[in-house]
């Protein structure tokens, strides 16, 4: 057994710890780059759709439904091709992403999170002047 009182690293320990740091640093930087590109794509699509931010679940489902090639186009192109732009906007606003080809099937990406609800937000909750608590009309009238 060696004496560890002087706290020197062996060559093997030095190589292993150095390799670990390099490997960890490369993995961490690639994860940050991937996360940054997702944020950039989300921000770009939100601006393209005319909203402040996309709902997280809607964006995640959209990117899962798109092919890797299409995701690459979204990540590197400032201006989207017209057919891709229409397809993505239809998906974001309807919650159903149209198929990329004629023989493909549309993909549900989030009906309840679709941007159409944000577009008609002012008309969803109609102001009413009816009296009583909610569902008061469902109870039989009081007999006096």
């Amino acid at each position: 057994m060696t004496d560890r009182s002087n706290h020197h690293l062996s060559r093997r320990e030095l190589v292993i710890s150095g390799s670990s740091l390099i490997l960890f640093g490369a993995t961490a930087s690639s994860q940050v780059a991937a996360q940054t590109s997702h944020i950039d794509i989300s921000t770009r699509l939100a601006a393209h759709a005319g909203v402040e931010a996309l709902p997280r679940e809607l964006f995640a489902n959209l990117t899962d439904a798109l092919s890797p090639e299409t995701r690459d186009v979204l990540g590197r192109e400032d201006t989207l091709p017209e057919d891709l732009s229409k397809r993505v906007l239809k998906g974001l606003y309807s919650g159903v992403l149209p198929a990329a080809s004629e023989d493909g099937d549309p993909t549900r990406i989030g009906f309840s999170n679709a941007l159409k609800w944000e577009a008609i937000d002012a008309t969803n909750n109609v102001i009413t002047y009816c009296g009583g608590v909610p569902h008061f009309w469902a109870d039989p009238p009081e007999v006096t």
Side-chain angles (χ1 to χ4, degrees):
M1 186 180 259
T2 59
D3 182 21
R4 294 283 183 177
S5 61
N6 55 9
H7 301 292
H8 291 290
L9 291 174
S10 69
R11 280 183 263 160
R12 179 179 295 163
E13 291 170 333
L14 182 63
V15 169
I16 290 172
S17 62
S19 300
S20 300
L21 286 175
I22 291 170
L23 181 62
F24 175 73
T27 304
S29 65
S30 66
Q31 290 173 346
V32 168
Q35 183 179 16
T36 303
S37 66
H38 269 357
I39 293 170
D40 291 343
I41 292 170
S42 177
T43 304
R44 187 176 302 132
L45 288 177
H48 189 64
V51 295
E52 286 186 30
L54 294 177
R56 184 177 302 202
E57 184 179 347
L58 182 68
F59 176 69
N61 291 341
L62 173 71
T63 54
D64 289 345
L66 294 173
S67 68
E69 297 82 21
T70 305
R71 285 194 298 264
D72 288 343
V73 170
L74 291 176
R76 69 174 185 266
E77 299 290 331
D78 288 335
T79 306
L80 297 178
E82 186 177 350
D83 58 336
L84 178 59
S85 173
K86 287 181 180 180
R87 182 172 170 240
V88 168
L89 285 175
K90 284 180 184 178
L92 290 174
Y93 273 93
S94 70
V96 179
L97 184 67
S101 62
E102 292 291 325
D103 58 343
D105 292 326
T107 306
R108 291 174 45 191
I109 59 172
F111 180 77
S112 60
N113 291 327
L115 297 180
K116 66 181 169 186
W117 304 118
E118 191 171 317
I120 62 168
D121 192 34
T123 61
N124 274 348
N125 298 321
V126 178
I127 299 172
T128 180
Y129 297 101
C130 295
V133 296
H135 302 289
F136 74 96
W137 44 265
D139 297 328
E142 290 181 18
V143 179
T144 56

